[in-house]
Amino acid sequence: MTKLRLAIVGAGPAGIYAADILLKTERKFDVSIDLFEQLPAPYGLVRYGVAPDHPRIKGIITALREVLDRGDIRLFGNVRYGEDLTLDDLKRHYHAVIFATGAIRDTDLDIPGIDAEGSYGAADFVSWFDGHPDVPRTWPLEAESVAVIGNGNVALDISRMLAKHADDLLPTEVPDNVYQGLKASPVTDVHVFGRRGPAQVKFTPLELRELGELRDVDMVVYDEDFDYDEASKTAIASNKQVMVIDRVLQSWRQRPSVNNAGGEASRRLHLHFWARPVEVKKDASGRATAFVYERTRPDAEGGIEGTGEFREVPIQAIYRAVGYFGSPLPDVPFDPRHGVIPNHEGQAIHQESNERVPGVYATGWIKRGPVGLIGHTKSDAMETVRHLINDQASWWQPEDPSEEAIPALLAERGVRWTDLDGWHRLDEHEVALGAPHERARVKVVPRDEMVAISRGE
């Protein structure tokens, strides 16, 4: 009986789901899976891309933990693909590889002044407040008025983190350096801008509703944005999610804080719709001073058009949350326009010729781009795994597929990798740090410290 030795690069939900689905799928061969992760801890964007005050979403970790804790998947953390381990290494020791590396950098927003001091990408800010080990420990939170560009859940996450009072984050796993930074923030107004109308937002109702529950934060919406066209009315009437979102927004219109009238909170979170980004204005030293946008309207064909009316909002910082983007991987085809590995249903292909790349597969955001919720990665993985199983004839023929080969190779190269037992040690350590303060955990942030704890050093 043939035994498939499979490498999966990326230990977030996409990689773990792919491993789990393959192990549970009916097949005519045994499977041995090694999961490689560049960070010392698993779970990817669930650990480093979800705001700390979202424990419900982090509940996904429980399901991922159950998969890893079965013991039929090996984890190698703190291993960088392309540096510690190359594609040639994988070909020497495995029959195939699935890349599940996600999308961790920001999509560009091409408008004048976006390079101003005080202009940031959402992904970098999320990495900071989630305690990612590879970003600086400090974040410049000096602005009283902030613009956030985008109408998806990431825009809501960072707006909520900017507007929320730091003390209200204390029961969560927020890192101490993040708490201290947010505690000192002088912010009074957070303005969120979306190109389209309230009925076309990409928020989920739960995320939106949470905004209105923030302590000492007034929600501000503007009556002019709610003059619905027929398409919006139809969307509200026919789509339950859009209907709930509209109900939440309409309830905020009834509050005294609307249009800045009568609100008593020390902070305000403004939602601006029908607003196309035009420019970030700068002062003589290059600092952001204002955000300029054009009012838009429906174009009767399902899109939007400009009205020619331009407005300016004074701000000292701006965050673009217009999407994530994938990063190229050494020796693997890459589509620079879409930020993905070019593929046919998860089978990697050469973009120019559409020819298959034997033994190389993709799943998750590096396969289809950063769209959809975490649950979508399951169907993604099923499609990829189906092809992997059927492609047995084109698998690599490794020189040494033994399970001992990889630990020996990493040790020879001086890689201080972490394993599943190490993750359990780090996990228990973080939970213990939080216990005296009645917190879920206190995240260890420095990479070296994470590695040392994991390895019991």
Side-chain angles (χ1 to χ4, degrees):
M1 183 183 283
T2 306
K3 182 174 186 177
L4 167 64
R5 285 279 289 135
L6 176 69
I8 297 179
V9 178
I16 294 174
Y17 285 147
D20 186 41
I21 287 166
L22 176 58
L23 288 165
K24 290 176 177 174
T25 299
E26 194 173 316
R27 51 196 153 67
K28 296 179 180 176
F29 48 82
D30 290 335
V31 174
S32 167
I33 300 176
D34 288 345
L35 197 57
F36 294 96
E37 170 56 54
Q38 66 166 343
L39 294 167
Y43 308 140
L45 277 184
V46 183
R47 179 172 163 95
Y48 289 116
V50 177
D53 60 346
H54 263 183
R56 284 186 298 275
I57 295 178
K58 286 185 179 290
I60 294 167
I61 284 182
T62 303
L64 300 176
R65 175 195 291 273
E66 287 172 1
V67 175
L68 291 184
D69 284 357
R70 283 201 314 256
D72 50 6
I73 303 165
R74 289 199 302 181
L75 175 68
F76 292 88
N78 200 40
V79 177
R80 288 183 171 92
Y81 170 76
E83 296 178 30
D84 303 321
L85 208 59
T86 66
L87 190 66
D88 284 341
D89 294 327
L90 297 179
K91 288 180 177 178
R92 204 169 295 123
H93 300 294
Y94 298 93
H95 295 94
V97 60
I98 297 176
F99 287 99
T101 50
I104 57 170
R105 61 192 178 98
D106 288 285
T107 298
D108 293 331
L109 179 63
D110 188 16
I111 60 172
I114 197 65
D115 60 343
E117 189 179 341
S119 174
Y120 310 105
D124 293 334
F125 185 52
V126 171
S127 292
W128 174 74
F129 68 57
D130 267 331
H132 194 294
D134 298 336
V135 300
R137 300 287 173 272
T138 58
W139 190 271
L141 291 161
E142 298 148 1
E144 293 183 7
S145 183
V146 180
V148 177
I149 314 303
N151 262 181
N153 282 344
V154 174
L156 289 195
D157 257 6
I158 63 175
S159 301
R160 192 180 66 255
M161 289 294 289
L162 286 164
K164 193 169 189 169
H165 291 275
D167 285 351
D168 294 338
L169 289 167
L170 276 177
T172 74
E173 59 181 56
V174 64
D176 282 332
N177 63 303
V178 175
Y179 166 73
Q180 297 297 341
L182 292 170
K183 178 82 171 168
S185 169
V187 70
T188 58
D189 291 85
V190 178
H191 297 267
V192 186
F193 297 90
R195 295 168 183 263
R196 304 183 63 161
Q200 289 80 39
V201 296
K202 301 298 184 185
F203 313 141
T204 50
L206 180 64
E207 295 254 358
L208 185 64
R209 195 181 289 121
E210 284 178 344
L211 282 187
E213 297 167 358
L214 297 180
R215 178 182 65 84
D216 190 34
V217 178
D218 277 335
M219 294 306 304
V220 184
V221 292
Y222 297 86
D223 287 338
E224 64 179 347
D225 290 337
F226 292 87
D227 184 14
Y228 287 144
D229 66 328
E230 287 306 314
S232 295
K233 291 175 184 174
T234 301
I236 292 165
S238 61
N239 184 309
K240 186 176 181 183
Q241 182 160 308
V242 179
M243 181 181 69
V244 174
I245 286 170
D246 178 62
R247 194 177 297 153
V248 172
L249 293 171
Q250 296 293 351
S251 73
W252 292 346
R253 291 181 72 188
Q254 310 309 316
R255 293 186 182 182
S257 58
V258 169
N259 295 338
N260 292 320
E264 296 179 356
S266 66
R267 293 179 177 179
R268 289 162 296 281
L269 209 163
H270 310 249
L271 297 183
H272 304 267
F273 302 102
W274 306 113
R276 182 182 69 84
V278 172
E279 181 187 1
V280 180
K281 287 196 170 179
K282 301 185 276 190
D283 63 16
S285 64
R287 291 200 62 85
T289 59
F291 172 64
V292 180
Y293 66 95
E294 180 185 16
R295 286 284 291 174
T296 60
R297 64 189 169 207
D299 65 2
E301 296 179 3
I304 58 166
E305 61 185 12
T307 63
E309 179 189 352
F310 295 87
R311 297 183 183 176
E312 187 173 308
V313 177
I315 49 103
Q316 300 85 48
I318 182 167
Y319 293 78
R320 65 184 188 280
V322 292
Y324 285 173
F325 203 76
S327 301
L329 296 154
D331 305 318
V332 178
F334 186 69
D335 176 351
R337 184 161 172 244
H338 299 102
V340 297
I341 294 173
N343 68 91
H344 168 71
E345 297 182 348
Q347 299 168 304
I349 58 175
H350 292 288
Q351 197 168 9
E352 307 77 27
S353 63
N354 278 344
E355 284 182 21
R356 282 275 323 283
V357 182
V360 178
Y361 299 83
T363 191
W365 282 3
I366 198 64
K367 169 186 174 183
R368 62 183 158 85
V371 291
L373 303 174
I374 290 170
H376 290 106
T377 54
K378 285 187 178 178
S379 52
D380 241 9
M382 289 175 78
E383 182 180 70
T384 298
V385 164
R386 187 178 73 246
H387 280 297
L388 170 66
I389 291 171
N390 293 335
D391 290 345
Q392 189 169 352
S394 63
W395 290 349
W396 298 329
Q397 299 303 313
E399 295 169 25
D400 180 6
S402 68
E403 297 198 358
E404 303 79 37
I406 289 299
L409 178 68
L410 294 175
E412 180 186 318
R413 291 179 180 172
V415 179
R416 296 170 69 223
W417 79 90
T418 61
D419 58 15
L420 190 57
D421 288 339
W423 161 239
H424 289 156
R425 275 192 287 272
L426 178 60
D427 183 39
E428 289 163 8
H429 179 85
E430 290 182 339
V431 171
L433 288 177
H437 312 286
E438 297 184 343
R439 296 174 61 181
R441 71 172 66 229
V442 173
K443 260 187 194 166
V444 175
V445 179
R447 182 184 281 262
D448 286 350
E449 191 178 335
M450 291 175 73
V451 172
I453 293 166
S454 298
R455 291 171 62 90
E457 295 172 354

